Amino acid sequence: GQQVMQIPQYQHVQEGEDFTTYCNSSTTLSNIQWYKQRPGGHPVFLIQLVKSGEVKKQKRLTFQFGEAKKNSSLHITATQTTDVGTYFCAGRANFGNEKLTFGTGTRLTIIP
Amino acid sequence: ETGVTQSPTHLIKTRGQQVTLRCSSQSGHNTVSWYQQALGQGPQFIFQYYREEENGRGNFPPRFSGLQFPNYSSELNVNALELDDSALYLCASSYPADGNTEAFFGQGTRLTVV
C-alpha cells in the first residue's frame, strides 16, 4: 500500500534558524496537504498543493510539490517559538479518493 | 476552532469491551473521516462516511465499524477492544469538491485500553 515518509523525525533548532521537513510518497499523488499539530492538540490544516512543481508561500512558510508529484517539502524561515509542533504531510492517491495518507511527521522544537 | 466536536474527550476501557465514539461535523460538511493516531505517529485512516454511506476504508479489522446520521454526525464503534487500540481517535469533516479539500479535525478522543 501507499506509504508516506518524512525526514527528519525530530528537529531541534535555535530560535531564528531555518527549518525544513521533507516528505516522500511511494506512489504518485493527486495532491498533498500539510498539517501542524501542537503538543496535545489536533492536526490543523496549513495548505494544499495540487500541481506538479507548485510552490506556495504563507508568510515565513514555503511549501513545494515535486515535479513527479511524489515528494514535497515545507521550509520555515527564521523560526519562532510559536512554530513548535509536529508537521505532517498527507497525500491523496487519486482525485475523488478521500483517503488521506499521513506521513510519519517531523517534530520541531525551538531552543529560545 | 474548527466546529468539529468529539465526545468523550477521554475514555478508559477494559480489554474485550466495546466502545462508541461520537463526532459532530462542521456545519455544512457532509463527509466525516475517522483516524487513529498512536502516540508519536501520524494519523491512520480508518474509514470515511459520505451522505450516510461508507466511502473508503483503511487497513482496520471489521471490529471497527461506523455510522453516519442524516445530520452528518458520526459514530465510531470498536468491538472486542485490544490493548493496541489505545490511541487518539480523530474525526475530520469536509465538504469534498472533486477530492481537493481540507479536513477539519476535532480535538479527538483519547482511548486507553487496560
Side-chain angles (χ1 to χ4, degrees), chain A residues 9 30-31 33 35 37 41-45 48 50 88 92 95-104, chain B residues 1-2 35 37 40-43 45 48 55 58 88 90 94 96 98-103 105-107:
Chain A
Q9 187 177 2
S30 66
N31 60 72
Q33 298 179 352
Y35 290 80
Q37 187 172 21
H42 59 272
V44 175
F45 176 83
Q48 175 170 277
V50 179
F88 291 100
R92 282 199 178 93
F95 286 108
N97 180 347
E98 289 304 305
K99 174 183 176 180
L100 270 176
T101 300
F102 277 78
T104 47
Chain B
E1 291 302 319
T2 62
Y35 292 84
Q37 186 175 26
Q41 297 184 19
F45 178 78
Q48 180 188 83
N55 181 40
L88 179 68
L90 294 160
S94 58
D98 68 3
N100 296 322
T101 186
E102 68 182 271
F105 282 86
Q107 82 282 7

Side-chain angles (χ1 to χ4, degrees), chain B residues 28-106:
Chain B
H29 286 183
N30 57 14
T31 301
V32 171
S33 302
W34 286 91
Y35 292 84
Q36 180 195 66
Q37 186 175 26
L39 199 61
Q41 297 184 19
Q44 299 294 311
F45 178 78
I46 302 175
F47 44 56
Q48 180 188 83
Y49 280 84
Y50 171 67
R51 293 186 175 181
E52 304 177 57
E53 298 283 335
E54 187 178 290
N55 181 40
R57 188 178 182 92
N59 295 325
F60 282 81
R63 60 189 185 85
F64 285 78
S65 63
L67 282 173
Q68 187 178 32
F69 300 99
N71 66 355
Y72 301 135
S73 65
S74 179
E75 288 183 353
L76 164 64
N77 300 290
V78 188
N79 294 322
L81 284 167
E82 301 177 358
L83 298 179
D84 285 349
D85 295 333
S86 296
L88 179 68
Y89 287 85
L90 294 160
C91 160
S93 78
S94 58
Y95 189 81
D98 68 3
N100 296 322
T101 186
E102 68 182 271
F104 293 83
F105 282 86

Side-chain angles (χ1 to χ4, degrees), chain A residues 52-65:
Chain A
S52 170
E54 188 171 13
V55 178
K56 287 188 175 180
K57 293 189 176 184
Q58 286 181 350
K59 297 182 180 179
R60 295 179 294 105
L61 278 61
T62 302
F63 304 84
Q64 290 187 312
F65 200 9

Side-chain angles (χ1 to χ4, degrees), chain A residues 79-107:
Chain A
T79 55
Q80 301 175 358
T81 55
T82 54
D83 295 326
V84 164
T86 301
Y87 292 84
F88 291 100
C89 62
R92 282 199 178 93
N94 302 302
F95 286 108
N97 180 347
E98 289 304 305
K99 174 183 176 180
L100 270 176
T101 300
F102 277 78
T104 47
T106 295
R107 184 173 177 179

